[in-house]
Amino acid sequence: MTYEEIREQAKAAVTELIEHTHLKEGDIFIVGCSSSEIKGANIGRGSDLDAAKAVYEGVYPVLKERGIYLAAQCCEHLNRAVIVERAALLPGQEIVNVVPQLHAGGSFAMTVYQNAEDPVALEEIKADAGMDIGDTLIGMHLRKVAVPVRISVKKIGEAHVVCARTRPKFIGGSRAVYDDVLSGGDIPR
């Protein structure tokens, strides 16, 4: 698997996922990425900066073009903290002081941090959609309610890909009326 193929797979995956969501300018898209898994090694056992860079180069331009913020989930050694542009912060959101490294944060979070205009780290975020490359468990950083999105790209390199979008909770029971646009077409019938 070449780095160009990884870049193209990542671009295809994020492009297809965005087609299945109602993301808008200012929304947050979380990516958890194991470069080890992309290269066929077990997560955390074969970090590859070039693979992480290829994913970033595939994903970031697609998001930037639409005004969507990229959030990068760090590895478990940083308790799955998140790297994001300062401009994506909500009022009152607290940053933490950490700079991701190859084996403490991971190669993708490191790449996002190094390429961001004004990167900050957060302990948590509530993203509007996301892509998990290599089973990194991004669910903790998605807004409620997460909805799986099946796309045609099943792997990036050797890493399993799982995607999700979110929708507001349905409340009110049998008398309630829901907005189909907000739910992304998931209104129970």
Side-chain angles (χ1 to χ4, degrees), residues 1-13 38-39 48-59 61 153 155-157:
M1 176 70 45
T2 69
Y3 295 117
E4 181 59 32
E5 290 170 319
I6 293 167
R7 183 180 306 109
E8 289 307 311
Q9 288 173 336
K11 180 179 180 180
I38 289 171
K39 298 301 288 184
D48 185 319
L49 280 170
D50 291 325
K53 182 179 175 189
V55 170
Y56 175 81
E57 290 171 351
V59 169
V153 179
K155 287 187 169 190
I156 295 178

Side-chain angles (χ1 to χ4, degrees), residues 31-35 38 51-52 55 73 107-109 131-134 136 138:
V31 174
C33 176
S34 170
S35 61
I38 289 171
V55 170
Q73 178 179 276
S107 57
F108 185 73
M131 183 165 49
D132 186 320
I133 306 167
T136 62
I138 63 167

Side-chain angles (χ1 to χ4, degrees), residues 33-181:
C33 176
S34 170
S35 61
S36 300
E37 292 278 335
I38 289 171
K39 298 301 288 184
N42 286 338
I43 194 166
R45 301 283 187 237
S47 296
D48 185 319
L49 280 170
D50 291 325
K53 182 179 175 189
V55 170
Y56 175 81
E57 290 171 351
V59 169
Y60 180 72
V62 174
L63 298 174
K64 179 146 177 81
E65 176 182 306
R66 292 162 175 81
I68 299 167
Y69 291 108
L70 171 62
Q73 178 179 276
C74 296
C75 71
E76 65 178 305
H77 297 97
L78 295 186
N79 297 325
R80 305 222 189 280
V82 176
I83 304 302
V84 70
E85 289 283 0
R86 185 180 300 273
L89 296 180
L90 297 173
Q93 208 165 13
E94 281 189 52
I95 63 171
V96 293
N97 187 358
V98 70
V99 177
Q101 303 299 305
L102 191 60
H103 299 291
S107 57
F108 185 73
M110 207 174 128
T111 300
V112 170
Y113 190 93
Q114 291 170 347
N115 286 280
E117 291 177 29
D118 188 9
V120 294
L122 304 169
E123 285 188 288
E124 62 184 351
I125 201 164
K126 296 298 178 194
D128 301 286
M131 183 165 49
D132 186 320
I133 306 167
D135 303 315
T136 62
L137 305 175
I138 63 167
M140 65 188 286
H141 292 302
L142 291 170
R143 281 190 308 114
K144 295 178 183 176
V145 172
V147 178
V149 178
R150 304 287 184 236
I151 62 172
S152 63
V153 179
K154 303 297 183 201
K155 287 187 169 190
I156 295 178
E158 296 300 316
H160 181 239
V161 175
V162 175
C163 298
R165 64 175 180 82
T166 61
R167 64 156 175 81
K169 295 177 186 179
F170 294 128
I171 64 167
S174 63
R175 295 182 185 179
V177 175
Y178 303 112
D179 183 334
D180 195 41
V181 173

